[in-house]
Each structure stands twice: as C-alpha cells, then as structure tokens.
Amino acid sequence: QVHLAESGGGLVQTGGSLRLSCAASGKTFNIKQMGWYRQAPGKQRELVANIRNGGSTRYGDSAKGRFTISRDNAENTMYLQMNDLKPEDTADYYCAAWHVTQSYFASPSIWGQGTQVIVSS
C-alpha cells in the first residue's frame, strides 16, 4: 500500500509563489512516476506536471515556464514550486502516483487527499 499526503497549499497574492509538497509512505518502491493534478470549480481535472523516478519531467501548458516539479527520492517527497501565480491557478491540487504495474499512459491509481490553493487578484 502507498499513501500520499499533500501539504503547502494556502492563500497567495497574484505574482506570488508557493511550494507544494507530497510525502509518499508505505511501499514507495511500487511507484514509478508521480505527478500533480488540479481541479478548479466547474472545470475538468488537469495534469499540472509529472516526474518519473529517473527525473524526467512533463508539464501541462498552463504550468510550463512558471512551475517546477521535483522529487527527493531519498525522502520519498515530491514538490511543486509555483511562481508567478495567477488567479486562474486557483484550484484543489492533488498528488498522484503511478504504480509500477501501470502504463505511463494510464490515469494514476494512487491519489492524495488534495490541498487548496487560492490566488487572490
């Protein structure tokens, strides 16, 4: 079993920065990729960024150039550094992980509980 716990959400002004953390516990050796998703009210859940165990990354269009995903494998913790935040970044942010049995093309099977980010105008 793998458990994911997000933290670091909160209220920030436009143009500010925020860093989200996701701590993985349990059988973390069964994770081959982790990522961040977000969902705003009335909108579909979207991929923000993901990172493979080897460190390769992928970003959604809204995140590229402003957000940076990273992972500390020794601590089993993933981060999302968000800079130049905009009101449209307001959403619930979810940590997710792909089990080693999954295809990279599949939806992640392991999810955290979410952390709220509010960017004021």
Side-chain angles (χ1 to χ4, degrees):
Q1 302 293 329
V2 177
H3 179 71
L4 304 176
E6 304 98 327
S7 62
L11 176 65
V12 66
Q13 297 181 33
T14 297
S17 298
L18 204 62
R19 189 179 76 160
L20 305 183
S21 299
C22 174
S25 60
K27 298 181 179 180
T28 57
F29 50 82
N30 285 327
I31 297 172
K32 70 177 184 181
Q33 181 172 259
M34 298 181 70
W36 292 96
Y37 287 79
R38 71 184 186 185
Q39 187 167 27
K43 293 187 176 181
Q44 189 175 357
R45 185 178 65 195
E46 65 174 340
L47 173 70
V48 178
N50 60 39
I51 183 168
R52 296 186 180 185
N53 288 359
S56 62
T57 60
R58 180 190 178 196
Y59 292 90
D61 290 340
S62 63
K64 193 173 182 62
R66 298 187 299 127
F67 296 179
T68 302
I69 189 170
S70 62
R71 183 175 179 179
D72 185 337
N73 290 326
E75 297 294 331
N76 291 312
T77 303
M78 178 181 64
Y79 304 95
L80 182 68
Q81 179 66 48
M82 303 186 290
N83 298 323
D84 191 26
L85 284 163
K86 305 177 184 299
E88 50 264 42
D89 295 318
T90 296
D92 290 329
Y93 285 71
Y94 296 88
C95 176
W98 282 254
H99 192 270
V100 291
T101 61
Q102 294 188 269
S103 166
Y104 289 120
F105 299 101
S107 177
S109 62
I110 308 167
W111 293 87
Q113 80 290 336
T115 185
Q116 187 177 51
V117 172
I118 300 175
V119 184
S120 64
S121 61

